[in-house]
Amino acid sequence: KAGVTQTPRYLIKTRGQQVTLSCSPISGHRSVSWYQQTPGQGLQFLFEYFSETQRNKGNFPGRFSGRQFSNSRSEMNVSTLELGDSALYLCASSLRKTSGTSMDTQYFGPGTRLTVL
Amino acid sequence: EDKVVQSPLSLVVHEGDTVTLNCSYEVTNFRSLLWYKQEKKAPTFLFMLTSSGIEKKSGRLSSILDKKELFSILNITATQTGDSAIYLCAVEAGSGGSNYKLTFGKGTLLTVNP
């Protein structure tokens, strides 16, 4: 079974630009979560999508948004990039069979390394 | 605000040693605690704990949760150089239904020397 894939793997942007990152979950997984990882803050939860709906959101500004398609693939968008947005962006997929259940095992993708200059 | 604190932040041991990593938390509406191992790439899932006092084991790794004292430990026995990694603890907490939030600790960097 193929794992979680993320594209692109590396990205360099300048301040003020916007960026879109893509995540393809493991086949059959309906939940996709996004995380930001930086040396200073560690791993921080951005949001989770399940069946094309955003179900949970972390404490990030509105510049961070996402969406999920009917095939469960997800995209994350960051507008008006700031230097502090430089980070490793990870997505993780899980089965999440029914809503309201405790977290299912999450499988992480390799991440997209974003550098903002 | 939910908090997850891991200790120590870093640890250097020799092969064969036994290590204990700690994770304490303060969250509202605890649901589960998860341990991950992160080497150079993405975190890989180790354990999910929801009940106090029940040890989960996988080979040389084991973990247990104390919901009264709000902490968990991850034990690694007979460490090997391949155990060198960042170990992340995360706590799932939610207000009910499908709402939850996952809060990660900063991680413990374990280095196992030959």
Side-chain angles (χ1 to χ4, degrees):
Chain A
K1 203 182 229 185
V4 178
T5 58
Q6 290 186 247
T7 56
R9 293 293 310 280
Y10 301 91
L11 206 47
I12 299 175
K13 292 284 188 179
T14 55
R15 276 181 299 176
Q17 287 187 308
Q18 78 159 26
V19 66
T20 299
L21 313 181
S22 180
C23 172
S24 293
I26 291 172
S27 177
H29 285 193
R30 295 166 64 190
S31 167
V32 174
S33 297
W34 287 90
Y35 300 87
Q36 181 195 66
Q37 188 172 33
T38 59
Q41 297 298 319
L43 205 58
Q44 293 183 285
F45 173 69
L46 279 156
F47 29 65
E48 184 212 5
Y49 284 87
F50 180 83
S51 291
E52 301 178 64
T53 302
Q54 185 184 89
R55 293 209 307 186
N56 295 286
K57 193 174 191 304
N59 297 326
F60 279 81
R63 299 185 297 107
F64 292 81
S65 63
R67 58 178 176 167
Q68 187 180 34
F69 302 96
S70 58
N71 62 357
S72 294
R73 190 177 71 84
S74 177
E75 286 182 348
M76 191 192 93
N77 186 75
V78 188
S79 62
T80 320
L81 283 166
E82 300 176 0
L83 295 179
D85 297 333
S86 295
L88 179 67
Y89 290 89
L90 293 163
C91 89
S93 76
S94 70
L95 275 170
R96 270 281 196 192
K97 296 185 191 73
T98 57
S99 65
T101 58
S102 189
M103 174 153 296
D104 205 338
T105 302
Q106 287 195 322
Y107 296 87
F108 282 82
T112 294
R113 172 76 61 186
L114 172 65
T115 302
V116 182
L117 302 174
Chain B
E1 186 180 325
D2 295 343
K3 275 198 316 188
V4 177
V5 178
Q6 291 186 246
S7 63
L9 289 180
S10 66
L11 191 54
V12 180
V13 300
H14 291 290
E15 267 191 319
D17 288 349
T18 293
V19 297
T20 298
L21 310 183
N22 303 291
C23 176
S24 63
Y25 60 90
E26 288 179 37
V27 302
T28 304
N29 296 316
F30 172 90
R31 294 175 73 169
S32 66
L33 185 145
L34 303 100
W35 284 97
Y36 293 86
K37 177 183 181 183
Q38 185 174 26
E39 296 170 269
K40 288 185 180 174
K41 38 192 179 177
T44 54
F45 173 82
L46 293 174
F47 299 111
M48 182 173 80
L49 303 153
T50 55
S51 302
S52 267
I54 298 175
E55 186 182 49
K56 294 229 173 167
K57 285 198 76 160
S58 176
R60 296 176 293 102
L61 276 67
S62 64
S63 183
I64 198 160
L65 173 68
D66 186 328
K67 288 166 75 173
K68 185 180 172 190
E69 299 297 331
L70 308 183
F71 77 92
S72 173
I73 59 173
L74 175 68
N75 279 321
I76 309 175
T77 58
T79 52
Q80 302 171 357
T81 54
D83 295 327
S84 296
I86 295 172
Y87 290 84
L88 296 165
C89 169
V91 174
E92 179 193 13
S95 55
S98 59
N99 293 318
Y100 81 94
K101 194 170 74 166
L102 196 60
T103 304
F104 280 82
K106 296 281 177 73
T108 293
L109 174 61
L110 174 65
T111 304
V112 182
N113 290 324

